[in-house]
Structures are given as C-alpha cells and as structure tokens.
C-alpha cells in the first residue's frame, strides 16, 4: 500500500529539485554566459587590454585581499557612507520643511530644479577650490550630488500626503513632532526611499570621480593608477569590485526598505 | 451643546456659495441627522462645525465656546473612511494614537482600546493592518477610534455610504447602541432618508443651493429602534414620505 505514496513523494522531491535547478539557472545563467563569452573573446583576440577572466580573478584576489582593502577600499566606502548620510539628513530635513510649507516651496522650487539640472561631477573642481583636496571635499562632493533626488522626492512625498489623514490628525490632536513621526515621515516614506535609491548610484559615481581628481588613495584613484601603469588585469579587477560594491549596497538598501515599508508592499500585493 | 448660527461658507477661487445661512442647535446627548441633496454642502457644514475650515460668516459654538479650530473633545468619522486610517499602523495603533496624544495613562488606554474594539466586534483583528480588512471593517475601526476617544460631540459624514445593505444595517444598530451607552451628542450626516429617520431623534433638512435649513423635524418614534419593527411602523412611513417630498422640493428649487 505504500507504493503510490512513495512514488508521489519521489515526484514531489523531483519537482522541487527541478525547481531549484531552474532558479539557479535563471539567476546564474546570464552571468555565466557573459563570463564564457569574455573567456572566448580574450582567447581568440589576445587583446592586451582584455585579459582572460581567470587572470582578472587572480588579480582580484591579489590586489584587494591585501592592505589595499584597508588603505583604499575602506576609506572610499567610509567617504561614500558619510556623504550619503549627510545628503539623506539634509535632503529629508529640508524636503520635509519645504513640502510642508507652500510659501517655502514657491520660493525654493525653481532654484531646486536649477541645481538639480547641474551634472554633479562639474561641482568637483569647484568644491575642490573652496574646500581643498582632503576627505572633507570628497564627502562634500558625494553629498552635494546625492542630496537632490532625496530632497525632491521628499518634497513630492510630503506634498502628496492624504488630506483626510491630515484632517484626522488635526481632529485627534496629533501635532508637531508627533505628526512628523506618525503622519509625515511614514506617509512620505515610499517617495523618500525612492530618492535614497536614486541617490545611491549617484553617490558611487561621485565617490569614484572625486578620487580621480587630485587624490592619493581610494578606489577611483587606484583604478586610474593601474591604468596608467598598464596593470590591466588589476584595473579590470577594480572595476569588478566597484560593480560588486554597488550591487551589495543596493541589496542592503532594499532589505532596509522591505523592513521599513512592509506596510506599503503588503498593501500593493493586497491590491494586485 | 452644539450651536450653529448664521453659518455661511463661500469657497474662494471658484466663488462657490456652499452654505447660505444655516442655523440649528443640538442638545447634549441628542442624536441629530442632517440630510440634503447631493452637493448641497453637508460635508462643508461638518468641516466648519469640526473647526477644520473657517466659515465665511456666522459661528459655531460647542459647549458655549466658539470653535476656531478642532475642539479638544470632538471626534469625526469621515466619509472617506479608508483614507482616514493610517495604513502603516495596525488597527490597535490606529485606535490608540489619539489617546496617546491625549496623554491617557497606559492602563486606561489599553482598557479603552480593548473595550472599543470589542464593542465594534474587531477584537480579533487588532494586530491587522487596515488594508487587510473589508470596507465595513475599516469603517468600524474608524468608529472604534472615535468611541475610544471619549468625545463630547461625535460627527459622522455619510459613514455608511460605501458599504453593502446588510453591513449598513448592522453598523446603524452599532451606532445606536454606542450612542445610548455613551450619551454622546451626535451629528450624523447622510443622504439616505430611511437611515436618517431610523437613527435620528431629529432630522435637519438642508435645501439645495443656496443652502439654508429647510426643516427641523422631530422624529416621534419610540426610542427603542429595531430594524424590522421600527421600519414597518406606519409613522415611520409617514415621516419617510414627508422627508422624501421635502428633498424633492429641495432638488426642484435649484
Ligand atoms: N474645497 C472646495 N473648493 C471649492 N468648492 C468646493 C470645495 N469643497 C466643496 N466645494 C463645493 O461646495 C459645494 C458643497 O460641497 P459638499 O462637499 O459640502 O457637498 P455634500 O453635500 O457633502 O455632497 P455629497 O452628498 O456629494 O457628499 C459643492 O458645490 C462643491 O462643489
Ligand atoms: Mg459630502
């Protein structure tokens, strides 16, 4: 009598294994294909500037699992996070103030649009003149680029707060800080998060660019150094590291968002 | 308890005269319904009474004090109930927030929250989020929040306009029970004549634009109301017919 049972259980296991295999294939398929074509290309062309993946991997291990991690990667990362945090604080703070006050908004909006239209990298030389070439400058460059999407998204989010919810707060005496905490920040949360996401990629770009100008350490600096010294596999490994870094940071941000905005995502699923 | 005198409201910009001259009173502990054709200014009236909007002329007094902003012991159940609940809070947190702002001690707060959720039959979904509930349940959360607040005056703006007939009947009875238990002065706006007669001790009929009070009708039905027996009384039918004719007139005047 156990015959059909066993068969069914086996079936279940088989489909589960099959599904896992499919998942792995979907996730790893395209990257694997890319690496294979890269390998093929480098074998066929023997282009000096396109080393084989194996060589780049070796260079990666040798270059970055060394004191470079402490001397270049960590300081870069620290500056990025400092600039990003500064931008987040300023962007959300100012954004809330501007979003809540129609007067302030009317006065500030054209100026904001103008500043946003300036490509952030052109601020690098200017800030360098004003603030020297230390860590402070780089943090400032990163912050000055990251702040706009956060600020503008926050303003939008605060402006779009539900009127009925706002009236509810007024009726039940939810004012000032309480209102900020229970109505304004969570209500604008999805938009603020969208701003933070946009700002992250801008931050990484500016981290690299700020280190390509007058600098003696950092990821951007090191990559340029490798390029000038014709250490091509090392240069490639730096680019790879940057990609990985961006990927991991975006992943962390998404984790945070899922926790903070669980109500938002839950509601979205509920509606769909 | 509630005095509305010579209330006029003109919306600037489009210069819409939503209310021409509205005057009436509600005694302490009374339940008064307001009816009128759609767009005659019922929501406008309620928002002025709630102090959410300054009137163009006239005044509102609650317990003798002129209303210039939302009065401390007044609660409102809005027409758009779905939008009046905080989606990032659980049902319990939604009900509790106003009490926290009122600095009600934690023990008493828990009592009030549990009591009001039990009263509206939602004790078991206290930890759900509003968007996980049906429309009728969401409206009951809004009612529980108002009840827990222990208001002196309760305002409701077509609270049952968007729920099905059965839910609506249940919610009407819920309101009657809560009103009787709390003795809270209640102003209930609706466009449903039956509902107004069934719930109210008095019904105030607003005219179409330019809006004035067309009639202030005492509902002389027995105080104990019941969906079946009350609605089948001949007096119920008379009152209903009379108000129906009034509303038709209000519409025709426009
Ligand atoms: N914020 C506003 N600005 C300008 N006009 C408004 C505003 N709110 C309402 N009105 C106008 O005032 C009049 C009365 O509106 P109100 O919402 O008070 O009517 P109502 O009786 O509640 O209608 P309903 O039964 O549909 O809820 C309408 O003509 C409406 O267009
Ligand atoms: Mg209305």
């Amino acid at each position: 009598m156990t015959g059909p049972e066993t068969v069914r259980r086996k079936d279940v296991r088989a489909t589960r294994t099959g599904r896992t295999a499919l998942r792995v294939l979907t996730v790893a398929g395209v990257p694997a294909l890319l690496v294979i074509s890269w390998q093929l290309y480098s074998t066929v062309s023997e282009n000096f500037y396109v080393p084989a993946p194996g060589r780049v991997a070796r260079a990666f291990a040798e270059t970055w699992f060394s004191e470079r991690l402490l001397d270049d990667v960590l300081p870069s990362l620290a500056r990025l996070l400092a600039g990003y945090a500064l931008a987040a604080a300023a962007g959300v703070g100012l954004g809330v103030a501007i979003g809540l006050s129609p007067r302030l908004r009317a006065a500030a909006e054209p100026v904001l649009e103008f500043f946003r239209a300036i490509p952030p990298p052109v601020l690098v030389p200017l800030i360098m003149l004003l603030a020297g070439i230390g860590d402070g400058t780089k943090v400032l460059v990163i912050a000055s680029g990251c702040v706009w999407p956060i600020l503008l998204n926050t303003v939008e989010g605060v402006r779009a707060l539900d009127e009925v919810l706002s009236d509810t707060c007024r009726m039940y005496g939810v004012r000032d800080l309480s209102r900020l905490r229970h109505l304004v920040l969570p209500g604008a949360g999805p938009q603020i998060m969208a701003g933070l996401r946009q700002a992250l990629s801008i931050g990484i770009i500016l981290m690299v660019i700020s280190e390509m100008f007058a600098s003696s350490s950092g990821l951007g600096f090191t990559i340029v150094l490798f390029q000038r010294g014709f250490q091509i596999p090392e240069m490639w490994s730096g680019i790879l590291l940057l990609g990985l870094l961006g990927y991991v940071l975006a992943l962390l941000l998404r984790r945070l968002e899922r926790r903070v905005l669980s109500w938002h995502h839950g509601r979205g699923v509920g509606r769909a | 308890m509630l005095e509305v005198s010579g209330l006029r409201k003109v919306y600037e910009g489009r210069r819409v005269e939503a209310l021409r001259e509205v005057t009436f009173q509600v005694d302490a502990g009374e339940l008064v319904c307001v009816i009128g054709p759609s767009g005659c200014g019922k929501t406008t009236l309620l928002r002025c009474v709630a102090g959410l909007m300054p009137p163009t002329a006239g005044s509102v007094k609650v317990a003798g004090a002129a209303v210039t902003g939302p009065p401390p012991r007044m609660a409102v159940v809005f027409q758009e109930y779905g939008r009046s609940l905080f989606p990032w809070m659980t049902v319990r947190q939604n009900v509790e927030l106003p009490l926290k702002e009122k600095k009600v001690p934690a023990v008493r707060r828990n009592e009030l929250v549990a009591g009001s959720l039990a009263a509206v039959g939602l004790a078991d979904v206290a930890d759900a989020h509003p968007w996980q509930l049906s429309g009728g349940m969401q409206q009951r959360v809004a009612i529980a929040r108002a009840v827990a607040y222990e208001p002196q005056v309760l305002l409701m703006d077509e609270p049952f306009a968007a729920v099905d007939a059965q839910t609506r009947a249940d919610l009407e009875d819920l309101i009657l029970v809560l009103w009787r238990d709390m003795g809270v002065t209640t102003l209930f706006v609706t466009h449903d004549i039956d509902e107004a007669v069934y719930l109210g001790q008095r019904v105030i009929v607003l005219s179409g634009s330019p809006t004035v009070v067309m009639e202030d009708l005492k509902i002389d039905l027995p105080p104990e109301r019941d969906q079946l027996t009350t609605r089948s009384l001949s007096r119920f039918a008379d009152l209903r017919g009379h108000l129906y004719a009034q509303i038709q007139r209000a519409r025709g005047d426009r």
Side-chain angles (χ1 to χ4, degrees):
Chain A
M1 275 297 121
T2 52
E5 273 293 293
T6 332
V7 169
R8 208 174 305 147
R9 211 172 294 150
K10 238 185 222 159
D11 270 359
V12 168
R13 206 175 315 139
T15 41
R16 197 173 301 151
T17 326
R19 228 177 294 145
T20 317
L22 198 69
R23 270 264 291 285
V24 170
L25 209 67
T26 339
V27 173
V30 176
L33 232 88
L34 274 175
V35 173
I36 291 169
S37 2
W38 177 9
Q39 175 70 53
L40 283 178
Y41 177 79
S42 59
T43 324
V44 173
S45 77
E46 297 199 339
N47 186 338
F48 175 70
Y49 297 111
V50 185
R55 282 218 53 204
V56 173
R58 222 172 314 124
F60 190 97
E62 282 162 14
T63 312
W64 302 111
F65 298 128
S66 67
E67 71 274 15
R68 277 234 159 71
L69 190 68
L70 287 179
D71 296 345
D72 292 305
V73 181
L74 284 186
S76 278
L77 216 55
R79 286 191 292 258
L80 172 64
L81 293 184
Y84 188 69
L86 202 65
V92 173
L94 281 174
V96 166
I98 294 172
L100 286 178
S101 154
R103 270 261 198 78
L104 209 55
R105 197 160 59 236
E109 214 137 60
V111 185
L112 294 185
E113 290 296 337
F114 172 76
F115 275 111
R116 190 180 53 170
I118 299 176
V122 305
L123 294 176
V124 178
L126 178 68
I127 294 178
M128 222 170 260
L129 284 179
L130 293 174
I133 53 170
D135 279 347
T137 298
K138 298 188 189 92
V139 170
L140 220 58
V141 166
I142 293 166
S144 67
C146 290
V147 75
W148 305 111
I150 302 176
L151 177 62
L152 292 166
N153 273 290
T154 306
V155 171
E156 268 321 297
V158 171
R159 226 172 52 158
L161 284 179
D162 197 300
E163 283 168 49
V164 181
L165 223 43
S166 229
D167 282 348
T168 303
C169 280
R170 286 183 65 195
M171 277 325 292
Y172 289 117
V174 182
R175 281 185 277 273
D176 309 327
L177 271 184
S178 220
R179 188 178 133 87
L180 191 69
R181 181 167 153 224
H182 295 298
L183 173 71
V184 179
L185 288 180
Q191 288 266 39
I192 293 176
M193 271 297 169
L196 287 174
R197 245 183 287 125
Q198 290 170 24
L200 183 61
S201 39
I202 295 179
I204 293 173
I205 294 172
L206 287 176
M207 170 187 89
V208 175
I209 290 181
S210 69
E211 291 166 353
M212 286 178 168
F213 286 82
S215 183
S216 55
S217 74
L219 266 169
F221 165 77
T222 315
I223 291 172
V224 173
L225 197 71
F226 287 145
Q227 185 240 349
R228 294 209 183 118
F230 291 99
Q231 292 169 279
I232 302 305
E234 284 78 6
M235 183 192 83
W236 275 74
S237 77
I239 296 170
L240 214 63
L241 180 64
L242 272 176
L244 285 174
L245 212 67
Y247 184 77
V248 168
L249 287 175
L251 214 66
L252 288 177
L253 193 63
R254 208 153 65 208
R255 274 271 172 83
L256 176 78
E257 175 173 338
R258 266 214 212 118
R259 277 190 61 169
V260 179
L261 296 182
S262 59
W263 63 270
H264 184 63
H265 297 301
R267 188 160 64 156
V269 171
R271 272 207 200 124
Chain B
M1 174 58 71
L2 184 64
E3 289 171 66
V4 177
S5 39
L7 202 69
R8 178 175 143 93
K9 178 68 192 181
V10 180
Y11 284 107
E12 293 306 325
R14 284 206 297 137
R15 296 210 59 78
V16 181
E17 186 183 37
L19 300 172
R20 167 68 60 86
E21 205 270 275
V22 174
T23 301
F24 65 91
Q25 289 190 20
V26 182
D27 292 336
E30 237 188 335
L31 197 170
V32 172
C33 292
V34 176
I35 59 172
S38 184
C40 75
K42 301 184 292 293
T43 297
T44 305
L45 169 65
L46 210 86
R47 287 175 56 86
C48 287
V49 171
L52 290 170
M53 202 161 63
T56 309
S59 71
V60 176
K61 278 187 189 166
V62 173
V67 170
T68 50
R73 295 199 53 200
M74 185 183 275
V76 178
V77 175
F78 288 98
Q79 194 168 357
E80 307 91 342
Y81 53 84
R83 286 167 56 199
S84 85
L85 300 174
F86 299 90
W88 44 86
M89 294 183 196
T90 61
V91 166
R92 184 199 314 282
Q93 289 167 334
N94 263 286
V95 177
E96 196 176 17
L97 180 64
L99 305 183
K100 277 190 177 160
E101 297 306 314
K102 230 171 48 164
K103 307 257 186 309
V104 178
V107 177
R108 175 79 185 129
R109 210 160 64 209
N110 288 337
E111 261 173 43
L112 283 170
V113 172
S116 67
L117 283 177
V120 301
L122 289 180
D124 52 335
V125 295
D127 293 315
H129 284 266
W131 38 267
Q132 294 168 319
L133 307 179
S134 71
M137 288 162 101
Q138 289 180 21
Q139 189 58 297
R140 279 188 278 159
V141 177
I143 293 170
R145 179 169 62 189
V147 168
Y149 196 60
E150 299 187 296
Q152 228 175 9
V153 178
L154 175 60
L155 307 179
M156 302 209 197
D157 189 4
E158 303 198 29
F160 311 142
V163 296
D164 64 85
Q166 185 53 48
T167 310
R168 185 178 189 132
D170 292 345
L171 289 173
E172 285 166 3
D173 289 332
L174 173 68
I175 289 298
L176 282 178
V177 168
L178 292 174
W179 166 68
R180 242 167 243 150
D181 290 353
M182 295 200 305
V184 60
T185 310
T186 306
L187 193 64
F188 189 104
V189 167
T190 175
H191 63 247
D192 184 324
I193 297 167
D194 280 56
E195 185 167 83
V197 175
Y198 180 67
L199 290 178
Q201 295 183 300
R202 266 164 53 211
V203 174
I204 289 169
V205 185
L206 297 181
S207 68
S209 186
T211 306
V212 295
V213 173
M214 205 160 112
E215 184 169 10
D216 189 335
L217 181 71
K218 182 153 176 50
I219 302 297
D220 46 4
L221 293 171
E224 281 303 318
R225 312 264 164 111
D226 174 89
Q227 292 286 355
L228 272 178
T229 47
T230 306
R231 284 181 195 270
S232 53
L233 293 173
S234 67
R235 184 63 191 149
F236 187 92
D238 292 346
L239 289 165
R240 185 179 171 282
H242 173 75
L243 287 174
Y244 187 77
Q246 286 287 64
I247 292 284
Q248 285 301 77
R249 244 185 68 205
R251 280 232 192 93
D253 284 351
R254 270 201 285 184

